[in-house]
């Protein structure tokens, strides 16, 4: 088992050689390699100022280790701000496992990954993300207590995705209230891109509300399944961004709002679950603002999952989880108003609140 810890200065030195990874003074980045199980993973700890760095593990077939590093740096940074704006005493961390979750994930690999998590002594606490199931977290739990999102039968709070979806739904309603004057989504044309754990649950809420839902995914079986189950339309075209819609809901991977898509996007609102939707926060946030597209910051509205897994650490109940998740509606609406009053992008307005909370705690901790 080899664990390499790269410190901040090293990343700053090597970054220009390969292009810019999203390094932002992360506290620790750990490379995990294990030949026996084929595990190749990276754990990113962005900040532990507010508490242990909690964030899910993503298993994905990255094109290169550099791409995986970039992803884990961006994702772990986002987790710091998500916890901060949600008022949780958690820092920001995330892990990525390089590989195909369908064919390369084995119990041995998951347990070995758990051992690496354990070696960080609770500075990093994991959970599920793309490519992971509750059962995988149960395996990790066999070797370390530093894991959340485990099965209810094993004392956990279960799969966080339905709570994430509920929070996204709340954030979407707040964005609709701001943009259309009403939070009711009936008859609104909503495109959900990515109908995995979160996307499917979001589709259910939207259908219950009477929205006109279109779904897109690279997995055709899922499209058929979800379309039949909820009676929603399948989007088969190759340019979802140009389609006229009220709400675009990115629920697959990040960075779908980028140089190629941003001027094509034909939606009035963007509100989805995916982390890091803006490829470049400043540039793309600003263009959305100029184009009068109401963007609900991802790290704010997709916080339901972290609220749910945090409950495993703090022992609060379902009612409290739902209350905190529902409150995403109020916070999102406040952010839209604050951004409008201060002529800031919504992303910037939300980030400023999160950064302020971290800075205040840092000062308190140093006293
Ligand atoms: P998932 O793996 O269950 O689902 C992702 C879906 O996106 C899959 O169906 C996949 O086929 C599809 N997909 C991948 N690439 C696509 C593409 N290019 N176009 C269309 N579809 C594509 O993941 P999930 O748990 O539902 O998470 C979805 C997103 O929400 C991720 O970005 C994740 O980081 C974020 N998120 C999830 C949670 C949670 O509680 N699960 C919490 C916060 C944020």
């Amino acid at each position: 088992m080899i664990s390499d810890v790269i410190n901040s200065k090293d990343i700053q030195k090597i970054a220009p050689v390969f292009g810019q990874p999203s390094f932002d003074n992360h506290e620790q980045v750990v490379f995990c390699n294990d030949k026996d199980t084929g595990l190749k993973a990276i754990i990113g700890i962005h900040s532990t100022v507010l508490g242990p760095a909690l964030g899910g593990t993503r298993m994905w077939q990255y094109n290169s280790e550099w791409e995986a590093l970039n992803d884990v740096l961006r994702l772990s940074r986002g987790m710091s701000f998500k916890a901060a704006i949600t008022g949780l005493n958690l820092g920001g961390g995330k892990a990525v496992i390089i590989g195909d979750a369908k064919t390369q994930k084995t119990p041995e690999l998951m347990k070995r990954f758990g051992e690496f998590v354990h070696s960080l002594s609770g500075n990093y606490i994991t959970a599920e993300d793309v490519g992971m199931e509750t059962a995988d977290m149960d395996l990790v739990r066999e070797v370390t207590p530093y894991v959340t999102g485990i099965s209810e039968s094993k004392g956990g709070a279960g799969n966080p995705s339905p709570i994430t979806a509920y929070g996204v739904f709340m954030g979407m309603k707040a964005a609709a209230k701001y943009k259309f004057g009403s939070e009711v989504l009936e008859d609104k044309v909503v495109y959900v891109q990515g109908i995995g754990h979160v996307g499917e649950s979001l589709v259910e809420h939207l259908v219950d509300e009477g929205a006109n839902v279109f779904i897109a995914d690279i997995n055709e079986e899922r499209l058929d399944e979800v379309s039949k189950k909820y009676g929603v339309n399948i989007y088969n075209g190759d340019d979802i961004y140009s389609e006229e819609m009220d709400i675009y809901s990115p629920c697959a991977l990040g960075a779908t709002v980028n140089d190629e898509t941003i001027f094509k996007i034909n939606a009035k609102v963007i509100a989805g679950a995916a982390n890091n939707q803006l490829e470049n926060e400043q540039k793309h946030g600003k263009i959305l603002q100029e184009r009068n597209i109401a963007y609900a910051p991802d790290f704010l509205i997709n916080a339901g999952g972290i609220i749910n897994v945090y409950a495993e650490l703090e022992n609060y109940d379902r009612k409290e989880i739902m209350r905190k998740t529902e409150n995403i509606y109020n916070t999102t609406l406040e952010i839209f108003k604050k951004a409008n009053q201060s002529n800031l992008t919504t992303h910037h307005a939300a980030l400023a609140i999160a950064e302020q909370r971290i800075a205040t705690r840092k000062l308190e901790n140093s006293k």
Side-chain angles (χ1 to χ4, degrees), residues 58 60 75 82 94 128-132 159-162 164-165 193-199 216-219 222 250-254 273-275 302-306:
R58 172 173 294 188
W60 192 254
L75 289 166
K82 187 185 305 202
K94 202 91 180 180
E128 50 270 80
D129 191 64
V130 174
M132 287 290 144
N159 179 5
S161 304
T164 303
Q193 181 185 41
I195 38 153
H197 290 102
V198 181
D217 201 292
I218 47 173
N219 182 336
R222 286 288 295 157
C251 293
L253 297 186
N275 287 305
N302 71 13
I306 198 173

Side-chain angles (χ1 to χ4, degrees), residues 25-28 44-54 80 89-93 120 122-125 358 361-362 365:
N25 291 308
H26 288 63
E27 287 178 15
Q28 200 176 6
I45 298 181
H46 175 252
S47 168
T48 54
V49 171
L50 294 176
L54 193 151
S80 294
N89 288 322
L90 290 173
L120 296 171
N123 259 357
Y124 170 65
I125 302 175
I358 296 171
R361 179 70 64 84
K362 205 168 184 174
N365 290 351

Side-chain angles (χ1 to χ4, degrees), residues 282-310:
Q282 298 220 334
K283 177 179 169 189
H284 298 127
K286 191 78 195 147
I287 298 173
L288 289 180
Q289 184 190 17
E290 285 162 4
R291 294 200 56 216
N292 214 9
I293 297 172
Y295 168 66
D298 47 14
F299 66 89
L300 167 60
I301 73 166
N302 71 13
I306 198 173
I307 292 170
N308 192 60
V309 294
Y310 185 57

Side-chain angles (χ1 to χ4, degrees), residues 108-124:
E108 293 72 29
L109 179 139
M110 286 314 302
K111 284 196 217 168
R112 193 50 58 92
F113 172 70
E115 286 167 8
F116 279 105
V117 171
H118 193 68
S119 73
L120 296 171
S121 312
N123 259 357
Y124 170 65

Side-chain angles (χ1 to χ4, degrees), residues 151-162:
S151 307
E152 284 167 280
S153 62
K154 294 200 158 51
N159 179 5
S161 304

Side-chain angles (χ1 to χ4, degrees), residues 112-308:
R112 193 50 58 92
F113 172 70
E115 286 167 8
F116 279 105
V117 171
H118 193 68
S119 73
L120 296 171
S121 312
N123 259 357
Y124 170 65
I125 302 175
T126 197
E128 50 270 80
D129 191 64
V130 174
M132 287 290 144
E133 308 289 338
T134 307
D136 299 316
M137 295 306 117
D138 291 347
L139 286 166
V140 172
R141 181 66 187 88
E142 288 181 23
V143 294
T144 182
Y146 305 125
V147 53
T148 53
I150 55 176
S151 307
E152 284 167 280
S153 62
K154 294 200 158 51
N159 179 5
S161 304
I163 312 290
T164 303
Y166 186 58
V168 171
F169 184 58
M170 288 294 116
M172 191 184 278
K173 278 169 122 3
K177 171 81 180 164
Y178 176 77
K179 186 71 185 174
F180 308 122
S182 165
E183 74 276 10
V184 179
L185 299 175
E186 192 178 0
D187 295 332
K188 290 281 177 281
V189 175
V190 186
Y191 276 61
V192 180
Q193 181 185 41
I195 38 153
H197 290 102
V198 181
E200 177 179 348
S201 201
L202 177 64
V203 166
E204 190 174 356
H205 288 297
L206 290 167
V207 168
D208 285 349
E209 177 114 347
N212 185 5
V213 180
F214 287 76
I215 54 173
D217 201 292
I218 47 173
N219 182 336
E220 302 217 342
E221 270 171 48
R222 286 288 295 157
L223 282 174
D224 281 345
E225 197 185 316
V226 174
S227 157
K228 280 196 191 109
K229 192 164 165 190
Y230 301 99
V232 293
N233 313 290
I234 293 177
Y235 174 69
N236 278 324
D238 55 9
D239 188 9
I240 189 171
Y241 307 100
S242 302
E243 294 294 322
E244 193 178 344
M245 62 188 85
D246 293 305
I247 302 172
Y248 162 50
S249 185
C251 293
L253 297 186
T256 56
V257 180
N258 55 43
D259 282 350
E260 266 180 42
T261 61
I262 195 148
F263 288 106
K264 290 200 282 186
I265 292 174
N266 202 357
K268 299 174 186 78
V269 165
I270 300 179
N275 287 305
N276 302 325
Q277 290 163 28
L278 308 179
E279 186 176 50
N280 181 317
E281 291 170 11
Q282 298 220 334
K283 177 179 169 189
H284 298 127
K286 191 78 195 147
I287 298 173
L288 289 180
Q289 184 190 17
E290 285 162 4
R291 294 200 56 216
N292 214 9
I293 297 172
Y295 168 66
D298 47 14
F299 66 89
L300 167 60
I301 73 166
N302 71 13
I306 198 173
I307 292 170
N308 192 60

